[in-house]
Structures are given as structure tokens and as C-alpha cells.
Amino acid sequence: MSNVPTKFSGENGATIGAYVTGYAASIALSVMAYLLVRQHSSGKTTLIILVISLAMIQCITQLRFFLHLGRETRPRWKLLVFLLMLMVVCILVFGSLWIMSNLNKRMTPQQMETYMKSQDAL
Amino acid sequence: MSFFFGKLLGKLSWDALPSSPTTAGAAVFMIVATAAIFGYLLYTKRLRWLWKEWLTSLDPKRIGVMYIVVAIIMLLRGLADVLMIRAQQATSAGSAHGFVSADQLQQVISAHGTIMIFFVAMGLLFGLVNLILPIQLGSRDVAFPFLNSISFWLFTAGMVLVNLSLMVGGFSGAGWLAYPPLSELQYSPGAGIDYWIWALQIAGIGSLLSGINFFVTIVKMRCEGMTLMKMPMFAWSVLGTMVLILFAFPILTVTLALLFLDRTLGMHFFTAGGGGNAMMYVNLIWAWGHPEVYILVLPAFGIYSEIVATFSRKRLFGYASMVWAIAAIVFLSFTVWLHHFFTMGAGADVNAFFGIMTMIIAIPTGVKMFNWLFTMYRGRILFASPMLWFLGFVVIFTIGGVAGVLLALPPIDFQLHNSLFLVAHFHMMIVGGVVFGYFAGLTYWFPKIFGFTLNERLGKYAFWCWASGFVLAFTPLYILGLMGATRRLDHYDASLGWQPLFIVAGIGALIVCAGVGFQLLQLVVSIVQRKQHRDFTGDPWNGRTLEWSVPSPAPAYNFAILPEVHSRDPFWETKQANLPASTPQYTDIRVPKNTGMGVYIASAAFLFGFGMIWHMFWLAAASLLVTIVLVIVRSSDDSTERLIPAAEIEQIETTHREQRERYA
Amino acid sequence: MSEVAAEIMMQHERETTKTVFGFWVYLMTDCVLFASLFAAYAVLHGNTFGGPSGKDLFSLPYVLVETLILLTSSFTCGLAMLAVQQRNRQQVLFWLGITFLLGLAFVGMELNEFHHLAREGNSWRRSGFLSSYFVLVGTHGLHIITGLLWMAVLSAKVMRNSLSAPNVKRLTLFSLFWHFLDVVWIFIFTIVYLMGVIPV
């Protein structure tokens, strides 16, 4: 039963500057991505790459300024677990996309023909 | 009035009760057995004791024993399934059609796989980890003791759902992984698939919570001086296992949920029409499923490392390479999952990649195997039953393993996918690797857990029956697979000439059952003779790691004084150093207080699952609400610990020291 | 400070560090959960089964407003944590309250969007695309609702016991949860809405 005021044992890096920077940057990045898509400013592929890049940057921004990732004292277990998760997520998502698109190509008649031609099998 | 009542009961009706004599008989047996146990407890006035001392305990050593009890009960159920399968396949040839219908056999087979993996193997896994890990790390408890209790009770809730399905509604007939479209509502309109979904979903959340718990325990609660590279190998294997659980189980959670949404809310994730993609299910479920099998086997590898070192009276060979092997296995197990569906239609490039990764993952396991053998080389080996289980593992797992490397080649897999060859392979992995490992662990650590040793002779009989019976049961399956026999058959043509092989396999299964009989006999005899076989020293095997330095059974607080280690095999080092006994200064120790909250929350979860299965959504909603309320109530509980006074500790420790000196 | 009090403080810190780390680990598993849902969405987003696709259904300005609301709530949550650092109970409750209202607005907008879709006949039963859309975005929404409930309970605790050590711990955990949900939303915003609207 304690109301002993303990030292704030959260993460270092929790300053007003950090939160304001993170907030401003995130707004800018979100609005930028929104405008890019609304103005149809580029071709499809470029647009996708741009928008995903902006998302990645915003993600890193928020991880850094809101979640204070990477600011902990050593050993940096939080960072390690985060990177492990990232690795698994990449394998899962890109692996699944590769597998499923490969299956789709080989399972739909029109796509199968295109695929076989590309493999010099037709 | 009856319309309203009908709404209240959702899909539930009298039709849900078993219609065939076999199922009805099994259901009656289960009810009678449960009633008998309950009646016995009532009669001996032990219900209160059970509740106070065991069911509400947050001591991982108690929770561990409860996991193992549930796992063993489910092992017996799974073995009953085995006998039915073998009996059916041995007799159902040509004009004979065995004694169960095709539908029933599919349910039995599905139950067998589901029970063995989720409730036997996972149960033994979590049981042993709970019992041994904290002590091996020189810690008093796991990181989150209350979460630990919840995990166990969620596991039990899942178990109850599976067993309830036998009595009300029937179980899934879609195999242990319930592929769509068969598992979709159109082709499986009954409650069976939903039972499967919710039993696994609830138990799965328990597993995930345990993954978090034990991971944080290893990272944050090692004793002073125990760097990661000084941890026992069992602890390393548990660390690898928990990483796998953390990142694989969410995939299962999602996949089960999506299948349930398809069935209940008419969604189109995996349906044959409406834009669904059934192959996506197979992809996702195996993205979980492959890490799952490594989750099962890694702790067994850790157990073998402990046993081989102890019974060879020698330090484990190649500690660092063992650690790297675990890390490699953890990473690689996320990169091979497609090998479970080479034949689903992916191109040669995709199949080749996953085939190569599968072959690579055999290498770190090979490294471990050689390290164990090198540990034995020039050791002074004691062939006690834990060591026998290890040796059985070496033979069986290696044979099954090379069969696996064969299957890793897509062209070969195209011939052997879903044949009995595959079935033989994975049984050799799971039984030879996982089950033998957990039996070895149970035999090895039994004295530590209960304070008396097991009857060694009966243990050896049990091993020989298991090993020989198992080989007899599965060698014919390799041959049958190569002859073209597929899995899950309920009948085959007599002209194929398969029947003699199935009969041999059946005999093997019976010998395995004799082995189980010996194990049960061993348990009974050992309990009866426990006073003559008390383990007074706490160290019956001349062990090397910290768990052998505490009394048997370990007191609630594990260590009166938290240890400080300076090397690997710290207990061995302490014994060699032969320091004079010191009389330490004991202090009060706080341990978690017992609480029934785990039981209540899991009961609410069980009712939630039951409500979802039978579309009694009012029940599901109410249970969910109750769960939330219980969690909030628990979070407001500020007195969750109790004190063990220093005087009591002194008494326990002094007694133990005296006994150790007397019986050393 | 007396030795006993110092010991208790160290104990609380160790306890908090352990719990915060454990919660972080749970958040990592939640990431894998969302990743699986994203994978399902990625595979199924083209399976419109003759029905409408994202282009036909999503209103980008509406979603931008949702995004900015959630983002602001993440910011105000950060301000609440700064107030915790200052041990300023009133400020904590104030910023927590703002965060709650913003979160509520977000959920309200999302439920409105779902309701609108369902009323037009574009429910989750319509196609694989719509199923995966509703479940991915809906799961995020359920997490937000859980966060709202958590905030309410937490505020009650803070009002009763002020910024005790357990409450500080709980607030820390909550803030991790809330920020994490905004990070996930970045990806929903980008992959579901922005990419869903880009002309083929």
C-alpha cells in the first residue's frame, strides 16, 4: 500500500520536445501522403513506393519520439525483441505474398497462360 | 415460450447427444470417471485441500504438476484414439469394414492429433518448464505468477471443451488442422469444427501468455552472476521455444478467428466462393504450424542436454555451438513452412527455396546430436531410465529425421505427401523426439518434484515396451507409404496386400500400451513405496545444475538465500569446491498469495467458448463481460503476496542440511 | 530516505521494469497478429467478387480526419505521461480525458463508416476483400475500444489513489498501448486506404 512517490521509471527521452517533434512530423507525413494520392501526382508504382516510404518514416518517427525505442540503457532488450518481431513479420508478409501470388498465377487460366509464356513453356 | 427457449439455446438441441454406441460409451465412461474422482475427493474430505493447496496456487511448481496431470489424462485419451485407429485399419480391408463408420474414424483421428499436440505435448512442455526453469535460473518464481495461473486454467478450459465435444455435439472430422473448404460451414455444419476452433483459441491464448511470462523470466530474473552464456542448456532451449511461441501463436489466433468468422458471420476469407482463398488458410496455419513443432521439440532437446551431461558424469560438449544451434533453429523454423504443402501448386522456384531451407534446418539439429554423442564419449555413463529414453530418441529421431530430409525434396514429396510415410516421419519426430524427451525429463526430475524416486525397474520395462512397440508400430507405415497408402484411411482394398502390415502396426501399438501400463504401474508402486525411497539429499543423480541444490520437493520460496553463480554447472562446481557449510542469515520472503481468479476467469472463458460454439451469443456476451469485470477486480487487488517468516525458512533449511549430511 | 523505503522503491522499480518489458513483449506479439491480418488483406484485397473495391468505397478526406484525430490523441497521451513525470495529478487526468474524447471520436467515425457500408449492402459478407477490410480495420477498432475502457478504469484509479507506484506503472503500460495503436493505424491508413484508392 504505497503512495511513495517513486522516480518515474519509464523510458528516457520522454520530453516535451520529443512529443511535439513526433506529432508535427507525423502530421506532415500523413498529410503529404494524403495529398500525393489525392493529386494522382505520379504513376501507380511510384505512388505506392512514395506512400509506403512515408509510412515507414512515420513509423520510425513515432517509434522514436512516442515510444522512445532505442533510448533504453544497455542491454537493449526492447530493441532486440522489436527487431526479432520485424524479421518474423517481414518473412511472414513477404513470404505469404510470394507464395500466394505464385499460386494465384498458376491457378487462374488467363494468368496461367501468361505465366507459362514467361517461363518459355508455351 | 419454447421459441424463446430455442433462441436461448442457439444451435443446441437433443440431437447433440451421441447417437452411436461407441461415442455414447466413451461419454459415459468419461462422466463416470470424473464423478468417481470427484466422489473420492468428497469422501476423503479433500476438496477444500485441493482448492486451497493446488487449484488456487500461484506456485509454478504446483501449476507445473497440474499441467502434467492434465497432460497425462489427455495422453490416455489420445492413446485410446490410437487403439481405435489401429484396430480399424487392421480390420477394415476388402469386405470387412471395421467397427467404426468413416465419419467416426475421421473424428477419432482429428481428436487424436489435436489432443496429442495441444494438450499432451504442450501440457508436458509447460509443466516441466514451470517446475524446473525458475529453480535452474536461481529464481524464486516466474515473472508474472498470476498470469501463469491464468495460462494453466485457460489450457484446462480448452481441454474441457475438447472432452465436452465427445458428449455434446461431436468433434471435428477435418483433421487436426481443419483445412477449408471442408471446415467451412457448408461442408461441416455441425459444432465439431467450432469446438476445435475455440478449444485451440482459448488454450492458445494461455500458451501465448506463457510465452511472454517465461521469456521475461529468463531475460529479467536470472540470479546474480548467471549471464546468458552461463545458463543451463535447458534454459536456453526454453528461451528459444518462447521466442517461437511469441511470434507464431498470434498467427494461429488470427487464422482460427478468420475461420470462425467465415463459419459464423458469413465472411469470405477461405470459402470456395465469394472471393475467398482456401489456400491462404493452409499458408497461414502452417506459418504457425511449423514453428509449433519446433516449440514442441526444443525443450526436449534442452532436457536431453541436461540428462546426457548428468548421466555421462561430464560437462556438456560444445555449449556455445549448442546455443548457436538453438538460435539457428529458431530463425530457420520461420523459413520452411511451405514444405507442408509442396503439392498445393506453387511453382518450382518457390518449392525449391523452401525445400533447400528445410534441408538446411536439419543441420543445427545434427550439430546438437553430435554434441550429445561427444558428451557421452569418454564419460562414465549410467544407463538409468532417463538415459535410456535419450538413447531411444537418438535411434528413432535420427531415422525419422532422415526420412524428413527425404521429404524435403519436392519431387519426392510429390510421391509421399499425405502418405503413411509422412505419418511415420512426423510420429518419429514427435514421439521419438518430444514425447521421449518429456518422459526422460519426468523420470529425471520426478524425485525433485515429489521428494521420492521412481521405481527404476518398472521404468526400464516401460521404456523397452515403448521403444520396441513404437518401432514396430511405425516401420510398417514407412513401407505402406511407399506402397501408396494415404493417411486417414478408414478402409482399403484387400487385394493391395496392406493388411498384414497394418496388423503388425496394431501389435506395435498394443506393446506401446503395455509400456504405458508399466508407467502407470510404476507411478502406483512408487507412490506406495514412497517412504522407503525418500530423496533426502535433493540430489539423487549427482546433478550439475541449481535445481539439485534445493530440497526435494523444493520449498515454496525455492532458495532461502538467492544463489550467486560464477560458472556453468554451478552446483557441480559448488560440490567440487567442497566449501565448509555456512550458517546464513535468513530473512522473511514474500511469495504470491493463492487466488481463485485464474479459475474464475478461465471458467468465464470456457463459457464464452461454449456460447460461441452453440451460437448462444447472450452467454458469450455475458461471459466476456464477466471476464472483463474479473480482470478489473483483480487489478484492484493490492495485497497479492504473503510472507514466509524467517523462522519457518530456517527450520526447513536446517532440516534439509541435516538430511543431506546424513544421507550423502 | 530510510533503508526500508529505499528498498521498497528499488523493489517497485524492478517490478515496473519487468512489467513494462513484459507488456512491450505482448505488444510485439500483437504486431504479429496485425501482420497476419495485413497478409490476409494483401492476398484478398483484389477479391471483390464483382462488388466494389476500395476505390469505390473509401472517402480519403474522412479517413484523413480520423487519422489526425488518432494522431492527436497519441500526442495528448504523451502529454499525460509528461504530467505523470511531474507528478501532477490534475494534468494527468486532464490530458487523459482529452485522449479519451479523441479516441471516442475516432471510434464513432469508424463505426459510422462501417454502418454506412453495411447499409449500402457492402457488409463483410459481400466479398473476400470486404471481409478482410472489416476484420483488419475492425480489430484495430476493437483494440481502441479496449483502450478506452482501460482509460476509464485507470482514470478512476488515479482519482482514488492518485499517482501511486502501481498507477504510474499502469499509466506507462497504457501509453505504450495507445502509441502502438497509432503506429498500426499508419499502416492501415497507408495500405488499406491510400493504396486502396490509387487508380489501377
Side-chain angles (χ1 to χ4, degrees):
Chain A
M1 214 53 233
S2 69
N3 276 310
V4 175
T6 62
K7 190 162 59 75
F8 175 74
S9 51
E11 296 305 286
N12 2 354
T15 64
I16 183 74
Y19 286 115
V20 170
T21 317
Y23 183 46
S26 297
I27 293 186
L29 290 163
S30 304
V31 173
M32 227 188 294
Y34 167 82
L35 287 172
L36 278 174
V37 172
R38 279 289 272 193
Q39 322 290 41
H40 306 283
S41 44
S42 338
K44 179 181 175 197
T45 331
T46 333
L47 212 46
I48 289 180
I49 295 175
L50 277 171
V51 142
I52 299 247
S53 312
L54 286 171
M56 295 293 184
I57 298 172
Q58 199 188 145
C59 176
I60 295 173
T61 307
Q62 290 204 16
L63 284 168
R64 178 106 193 305
F65 291 112
F66 287 172
L67 285 165
H68 318 298
L69 186 62
R71 293 297 216 99
E72 47 179 338
T73 52
R74 293 187 182 254
R76 299 209 281 212
W77 278 104
K78 275 197 187 174
L79 186 61
L80 179 66
V81 175
F82 174 77
L83 291 172
L84 277 174
M85 177 276 293
L86 206 60
M87 180 188 77
V88 171
V89 161
C90 288
I91 294 175
L92 176 68
V93 172
F94 294 117
S96 294
L97 282 173
W98 184 37
I99 293 168
M100 297 311 294
S101 85
N102 194 283
L103 286 168
N104 273 344
K105 268 208 293 268
R106 289 163 61 86
M107 296 285 168
T108 52
Q110 314 92 305
Q111 292 198 42
M112 184 54 159
E113 212 176 299
T114 322
Y115 175 69
M116 283 177 78
K117 282 193 177 132
S118 76
Q119 303 279 301
D120 280 330
L122 200 65
Chain B
M1 186 61 195
S2 67
F3 167 77
F4 175 69
F5 214 54
K7 276 283 171 204
L8 222 56
L9 289 175
K11 282 165 67 175
L12 197 55
S13 73
W14 291 115
D15 292 335
L17 289 176
S19 47
S20 90
T22 351
T23 328
V28 167
F29 173 77
M30 262 202 295
I31 296 174
V32 168
T34 316
I37 295 172
F38 188 76
Y40 171 75
L41 288 169
L42 201 63
Y43 177 73
T44 53
K45 296 205 194 342
R46 289 209 143 183
L47 275 176
R48 189 157 198 86
W49 164 85
L50 192 70
W51 180 258
K52 269 188 61 182
E53 293 296 318
W54 287 91
L55 304 186
T56 57
S57 174
L58 296 192
D59 185 343
K61 300 183 291 295
R62 297 260 151 125
I63 292 177
V65 170
M66 291 195 288
Y67 264 115
I68 292 176
V69 167
V70 172
I72 291 183
I73 293 173
M74 292 306 263
L75 175 67
L76 297 176
R77 162 119 197 238
L79 284 171
D81 289 328
V82 170
L83 288 175
M84 287 176 75
I85 298 169
R86 282 285 133 258
Q88 175 74 9
Q89 294 189 329
T91 55
S92 175
S95 51
H97 281 269
F99 63 102
V100 288
S101 71
D103 268 339
Q104 278 178 314
L105 190 70
Q106 293 310 310
Q107 273 191 45
V108 170
I109 291 176
S110 308
H112 167 73
T114 306
I115 287 173
M116 290 303 204
I117 292 189
F118 288 97
F119 297 101
V120 180
M122 296 294 274
L124 291 174
L125 191 166
F126 287 127
L128 286 168
V129 174
N130 261 297
L131 283 161
I132 303 300
L133 182 78
I135 314 185
Q136 269 201 348
L137 295 179
S139 164
R140 294 219 160 97
D141 208 331
V142 296
F144 309 113
F146 177 62
L147 217 60
N148 203 10
S149 171
I150 293 200
S151 288
F152 168 71
W153 284 108
L154 288 176
F155 166 79
T156 305
M159 177 274 255
V160 173
L161 276 174
V162 171
N163 284 311
L164 188 62
S165 72
L166 187 61
M167 300 186 254
V168 184
F171 194 63
S172 156
W176 80 279
L177 280 181
Y179 283 4
L182 177 60
S183 55
E184 293 279 2
L185 195 64
Q186 189 179 9
Y187 300 105
S188 290
I193 306 279
D194 298 301
Y195 267 115
W196 179 83
I197 289 174
W198 284 103
L200 265 53
Q201 193 72 293
I202 294 172
I205 295 191
S207 299
L208 189 60
L209 294 175
S210 286
I212 299 174
N213 212 342
F214 294 124
F215 181 77
V216 177
T217 305
I218 294 176
V219 169
K220 296 279 184 191
M221 293 181 73
R222 282 166 281 129
C223 65
E224 197 66 41
M226 189 180 279
T227 61
L228 284 173
M229 290 305 269
K230 293 200 180 74
M231 282 201 309
M233 196 46 63
F234 178 64
W236 266 113
S237 71
V238 173
L239 184 62
T241 308
M242 296 306 140
V243 171
L244 287 174
I245 290 180
L246 289 174
F247 298 133
F249 266 81
I251 305 174
L252 177 71
T253 309
V254 165
T255 315
L256 292 173
L258 298 184
L259 182 63
F260 184 73
L261 288 171
D262 269 5
R263 287 173 61 85
T264 314
L265 290 181
M267 299 208 186
H268 291 290
F269 284 99
F270 313 121
T271 50
N277 191 336
M279 297 187 293
M280 182 60 169
Y281 178 93
V282 175
N283 176 62
L284 283 176
I285 204 82
W286 279 115
W288 162 82
H290 194 83
E292 165 69 2
V293 304
Y294 284 97
I295 288 168
L296 297 181
V297 88
L298 275 182
F301 286 171
I303 293 173
Y304 291 132
S305 292
E306 302 293 338
I307 286 176
V308 174
T310 304
F311 290 94
S312 306
R313 256 74 71 98
K314 212 166 146 257
R315 200 178 57 185
L316 182 69
F317 184 92
Y319 182 98
S321 64
M322 287 296 230
V323 173
W324 281 111
I326 292 176
I329 290 174
V330 168
F331 168 69
L332 288 169
S333 58
F334 283 106
T335 61
V336 299
W337 79 93
L338 185 127
H339 70 227
H340 298 274
F341 48 97
F342 277 137
T343 60
M344 197 160 75
D349 45 353
V350 176
N351 279 355
F353 171 77
F354 282 97
I356 293 172
M357 296 313 285
T358 308
M359 283 187 269
I360 293 177
I361 202 176
I363 298 175
T365 308
V367 165
K368 294 182 94 60
M369 193 61 92
F370 279 111
N371 277 353
W372 290 315
L373 296 175
F374 289 154
T375 310
M376 287 174 70
Y377 178 67
R378 294 238 186 151
R380 289 173 301 130
I381 303 176
L382 178 68
F383 289 97
S385 43
M387 197 59 178
L388 290 180
W389 288 108
F390 165 72
L391 293 170
F393 151 79
V394 171
V395 173
I396 294 176
F397 195 79
T398 306
I399 298 174
V402 299
V405 179
L406 259 181
L407 289 164
L409 289 127
I412 297 190
D413 189 73
F414 266 71
Q415 302 293 317
L416 295 172
H417 174 67
N418 272 358
S419 68
L420 287 179
F421 188 94
L422 171 72
V423 172
H425 156 71
F426 68 66
H427 277 90
M428 288 209 160
M429 297 288 96
I430 302 186
V431 179
V434 178
V435 177
F436 277 27
Y438 294 152
F439 284 166
L442 283 173
T443 328
Y444 178 54
W445 280 310
F446 187 92
K448 175 56 54 189
I449 302 167
F450 292 106
F452 57 95
T453 51
L454 284 169
N455 183 299
E456 179 63 15
R457 182 144 54 97
L458 289 172
K460 288 197 162 89
Y461 292 165
F463 164 73
W464 286 111
C465 286
W466 260 97
S468 56
F470 181 79
V471 170
L472 200 62
F474 282 94
T475 309
L477 263 60
Y478 279 122
I479 303 169
L480 282 164
L482 289 167
M483 287 166 81
T486 56
R487 66 193 294 192
R488 300 179 183 154
L489 287 171
D490 71 284
H491 175 268
Y492 50 89
D493 219 60
S495 60
L496 290 162
W498 291 348
Q499 191 166 27
L501 289 167
F502 274 115
I503 292 175
V504 172
I507 296 173
L510 286 170
I511 298 178
V512 169
C513 283
V516 177
F518 276 120
Q519 286 173 309
L520 294 171
L521 187 63
Q522 180 191 37
L523 201 58
V524 170
V525 168
S526 307
I527 292 175
V528 166
Q529 297 181 335
R530 67 187 180 284
K531 294 215 166 56
Q532 293 99 297
H533 292 104
R534 281 278 310 271
D535 170 27
F536 288 110
T537 62
D539 185 19
W541 306 114
N542 199 10
R544 310 175 72 86
T545 41
L546 285 176
E547 73 269 29
W548 305 110
S549 70
V550 298
S552 294
Y557 50 81
N558 291 352
F559 299 94
I561 314 282
L562 289 173
E564 195 177 316
V565 309
H566 309 286
S567 65
R568 296 173 192 158
D569 292 344
F571 185 51
W572 186 259
E573 298 304 319
T574 316
K575 284 192 285 189
Q576 304 311 315
N578 224 342
L579 299 162
S582 57
T583 359
Q585 181 77 315
Y586 297 115
T587 50
D588 298 338
I589 296 178
R590 315 191 77 87
V591 291
K593 237 192 328 197
N594 284 13
T595 173
M597 271 299 184
V599 183
Y600 305 144
I601 290 177
S603 302
F606 165 78
L607 288 172
F608 177 78
F610 189 81
M612 292 298 246
I613 291 168
W614 290 106
H615 292 205
M616 294 159 70
F617 295 117
W618 60 270
L619 179 62
S623 321
L624 190 60
L625 196 62
V626 168
T627 311
I628 294 173
V629 168
L630 287 173
V631 169
I632 294 175
V633 167
R634 168 71 188 185
S635 74
S636 310
D637 191 350
D638 280 319
S639 72
T640 54
E641 291 185 321
R642 66 180 172 96
L643 199 72
I644 302 182
E648 191 179 324
I649 298 172
E650 175 155 15
Q651 198 181 15
I652 298 173
E653 295 298 310
T654 316
T655 319
H656 172 58
R657 204 180 20 254
E658 285 169 3
Q659 283 173 340
R660 203 169 52 209
E661 267 146 38
R662 184 143 44 111
Y663 293 96
Chain C
M1 196 187 289
S2 75
E3 224 180 85
V4 176
E7 176 63 41
I8 294 177
M9 191 174 102
M10 262 187 57
Q11 181 91 306
H12 279 304
E13 256 190 62
R14 249 175 311 181
E15 189 61 37
T16 303
T17 315
K18 194 177 56 163
T19 313
V20 170
F21 179 64
F23 193 76
W24 177 261
V25 173
Y26 151 69
L27 287 178
M28 296 300 101
T29 70
D30 226 3
C31 287
V32 178
L33 189 119
F34 276 107
S36 310
L37 289 171
F38 271 107
Y41 179 81
V43 170
L44 293 175
H45 80 276
N47 294 19
T48 52
F49 201 54
S53 71
K55 212 163 13 89
D56 310 309
L57 297 172
F58 302 148
S59 155
L60 275 194
Y62 191 84
V63 175
L64 182 66
V65 172
E66 280 182 322
T67 306
L68 293 175
I69 288 178
L70 197 64
L71 191 46
T72 309
S73 78
S74 198
F75 176 60
T76 56
C77 180
L79 295 178
M81 288 318 288
L82 286 175
V84 172
Q85 227 172 353
Q86 314 297 345
R87 291 290 181 278
N88 186 331
R89 196 181 84 140
Q90 293 300 92
Q91 281 243 315
V92 170
L93 287 169
F94 174 72
W95 287 118
L96 218 53
I98 303 283
T99 309
F100 182 90
L101 288 171
L102 289 168
L104 200 60
F106 175 86
V107 170
M109 286 186 74
E110 201 159 77
L111 283 173
N112 179 44
E113 192 186 351
F114 283 5
H115 176 71
H116 186 71
L117 281 170
R119 223 185 30 196
E120 309 252 294
N122 296 319
S123 75
W124 52 68
R125 310 169 84 101
R126 184 88 172 73
S127 63
F129 158 66
L130 279 164
S131 299
S132 58
Y133 164 78
F134 270 99
V135 173
L136 173 58
V137 180
T139 303
H140 177 268
L142 277 174
H143 277 76
I144 295 279
I145 291 174
T146 307
L148 292 177
L149 180 63
W150 192 355
M151 253 192 285
V153 175
L154 248 187
S155 304
K157 285 195 207 279
V158 171
M159 280 192 268
R160 179 130 50 90
N161 291 331
S162 191
L163 295 168
S164 60
N167 279 348
V168 168
K169 182 178 74 181
R170 290 175 186 131
L171 284 161
T172 312
L173 298 183
F174 170 76
S175 68
L176 286 180
F177 186 67
W178 199 254
H179 292 312
F180 152 80
L181 285 178
D182 197 43
V183 173
V184 173
W185 180 258
I186 300 171
F187 289 100
I188 295 183
F189 174 60
T190 306
I191 296 175
V192 175
Y193 291 106
L194 290 184
M195 283 171 64
V197 169
I198 292 174
V200 176

